[in-house]
Amino acid sequence: QQEHQTGEGHENFPHSAYIAIFKYSVKLSDQMVPKQALVTGAASGLGRELCRLLAADSYELVMVDKDGGGLEKAAESISETSGIRARTIVADLGKHGAADRLFAELDQLEFDVLINSAGFGLFGYFAEVDWSKEEAMLQLHVLNLTRLTKLVLR
């Protein structure tokens, strides 16, 4: 049986699910610039857990999700446990042009970490699955993910 390794400070997070996040700060003159992270799909699941881990490592967070209520609850929970105040943005990345609208709202912020965690799945016979749902899935998983990544890297 293989033994699970855990990350330092994350004893309850098994290695199989642990994503290494590199810790660093950028020094400009004598000031330390806070580390910034942008996380999509941040209201629940893996996105929310990664936000919690980033906050524990003192990252300033921008949390994005289409579920505004869940997003606010996640941000409040993270703030209570870490003291980090997260900025929340409600956005549906399954819509055409959503990455450009989101990036415009970010107003030239630069990020040390981008986590594209938003996603959903469909099931059923290929010929019978609703095209509008498939199109939204492609917008989210392929087009807006790629566009947002390119915008953040510029």
Side-chain angles (χ1 to χ4, degrees), residues 24-101:
Y24 64 92
S25 294
V26 178
K27 186 170 182 175
L28 297 175
S29 67
D30 291 323
Q31 295 181 345
M32 295 302 286
V33 175
K35 299 172 287 186
Q36 301 270 349
L38 173 61
V39 182
T40 68
S44 62
L46 191 56
R48 181 176 177 159
E49 180 63 14
L50 289 170
C51 285
R52 188 186 68 75
L53 293 172
L54 287 162
D57 286 340
S58 301
Y59 278 80
E60 291 187 357
L61 300 173
V62 177
M63 300 171 64
V64 180
D65 204 290
K66 70 177 185 175
D67 175 7
L71 190 59
E72 288 303 318
K73 286 179 186 176
E76 287 172 15
S77 173
I78 288 167
S79 178
E80 288 172 8
T81 58
S82 69
I84 298 291
R85 240 186 109 132
R87 177 177 172 190
T88 59
I89 299 175
V90 177
D92 184 351
L93 294 171
K95 304 277 186 197
H96 177 76
D100 290 295
R101 289 188 295 277

Side-chain angles (χ1 to χ4, degrees), residues 65-147:
D65 204 290
K66 70 177 185 175
D67 175 7
L71 190 59
E72 288 303 318
K73 286 179 186 176
E76 287 172 15
S77 173
I78 288 167
S79 178
E80 288 172 8
T81 58
S82 69
I84 298 291
R85 240 186 109 132
R87 177 177 172 190
T88 59
I89 299 175
V90 177
D92 184 351
L93 294 171
K95 304 277 186 197
H96 177 76
D100 290 295
R101 289 188 295 277
L102 172 59
F103 192 72
E105 190 169 340
L106 295 172
D107 193 35
Q108 305 296 321
L109 278 178
E110 292 186 14
F111 296 95
D112 301 295
V113 174
L114 167 62
I115 297 175
N116 287 302
S117 184
F120 69 94
L122 297 172
F123 64 93
Y125 292 107
F126 179 76
E128 296 174 7
V129 174
D130 183 327
W131 169 246
S132 64
K133 291 178 182 176
E134 288 179 322
E135 184 177 27
M137 188 169 72
L138 290 168
Q139 284 289 336
L140 174 62
H141 292 204
V142 180
L143 299 173
N144 281 316
L145 179 146
T146 304
R147 180 68 177 148

